[in-house]
Amino acid sequence: MKRAALGLFMVAVLALVAVAQDGVRTARLGASHGATGGPSEAAAALDRAAAARKFAFVFFWKEQNPQTDRAWNTLQTAAGRMADWAEMVPVQVTNPAEKSVVDRFGTSRAPMPLVLAVAPCGAVTKAFGAVFDETQLRTAFVSPGTQLCLKALQDRKLVLLCVFDQAGPQGAAVPPGAREFKADARFNAAAEVVLVNASDDGEAGFLKELQVDARAPKPFTVLLAPPGTVVGQFDGRASKDQMIAKLTAAQANPCADGACGPGGCGPRK
């Protein structure tokens, strides 16, 4: 199985950290996200950000300390300069009203403070601990194709990434093999189709990260498996059965194509 260097995919499920601050600011932060109980204000803020097609920097915190204060100040200053693209969403992890948000992102036991960057589609694109800067925060703004792939992979789904050419005929973006794979009863609920235009400069970095041949004839399909493994790249003539065979082989042999995985290559006792 080919394992590309998919740092973006991996960071989303391994986030470890959260946030708070001092005196007056701490009181203000607690009040802003319903520290006294009631409906989740953070969930509502996430919904508003998504509806506005904005990212959200979710600031998880537990208690007041200098580390929390520094992180909050950095985020607040940076977010003010990115207001057109992102919102700040503070979440105190000990607040019962925010349990649904804490559970959603699995941050109840994460080291504090933690900032998660959440795309409009709900994908976590980056995680930041106590020390970060604006330049790092800006790396969270990934391409639409990256966002959709991350969301599917974080939902533990397969991804049929269909790369097409803008100059190609309408309706030909999804190759027949990918269309049949998605329609198969075994994979319909467990796979998502994501379209990426190879002519979109904004997606060039994403395709490069996947280590696929973007110069190949279009359309072609890249099959991804959680948490972020490239199973294979298939041209427009590839059948559903060829894709399934590749996926089955990859699942059966974590060391296929020279890549090691749990239970795969290495010394055995």
Side-chain angles (χ1 to χ4, degrees), residues 255-266:
C255 286
D257 295 335
C260 284
C265 305

Side-chain angles (χ1 to χ4, degrees), residues 11-205:
V11 74
V13 287
L14 299 176
L16 295 176
V17 237
V19 134
Q21 64 218 95
D22 75 15
V24 175
R25 270 194 300 264
T26 299
R28 190 177 301 151
L29 181 62
S32 73
H33 88 261
T36 57
S40 170
E41 293 189 16
L46 283 165
D47 287 344
R48 288 194 298 272
R53 307 305 300 164
K54 289 185 176 183
F55 276 69
F57 288 112
V58 188
F59 183 77
F60 291 94
W61 64 284
K62 185 176 183 180
E63 59 188 7
Q64 175 187 341
N65 57 48
Q67 196 175 48
T68 292
D69 186 42
R70 286 192 297 271
W72 174 255
N73 287 338
T74 299
L75 179 62
Q76 195 170 40
T77 300
R81 288 193 280 264
M82 297 183 283
D84 290 343
W85 310 289
E87 300 285 349
M88 286 197 310
V89 181
V91 178
Q92 186 179 23
V93 296
T94 55
N95 179 7
E98 302 297 357
K99 186 177 185 302
S100 63
V101 175
V102 172
D103 289 348
R104 171 183 169 183
F105 295 105
T107 56
S108 62
R109 297 184 180 181
M112 306 289 166
L114 170 67
V115 178
L116 297 185
V118 182
C121 68
V124 178
T125 62
K126 283 286 184 178
F128 304 96
V131 180
F132 55 86
D133 58 30
E134 182 174 338
T135 298
Q136 292 170 313
L137 290 172
R138 287 180 179 273
T139 65
F141 299 111
V142 298
S143 72
T146 307
Q147 295 173 35
L148 294 173
C149 286
L150 279 170
K151 182 63 172 71
L153 292 167
Q154 288 163 16
D155 288 341
R156 308 301 298 169
K157 291 185 176 183
L158 298 167
V159 176
L160 295 159
L161 176 63
C162 299
V163 182
F164 66 97
D165 190 336
Q166 190 174 34
Q170 272 191 330
V174 182
R179 193 178 302 116
E180 292 168 10
F181 187 107
K182 172 64 176 172
D184 191 299
R186 294 169 292 177
F187 302 106
N188 180 260
E192 293 292 341
V193 173
V194 175
L195 302 179
V196 165
N197 185 350
S199 301
D200 185 347
D201 291 340
E203 299 290 357

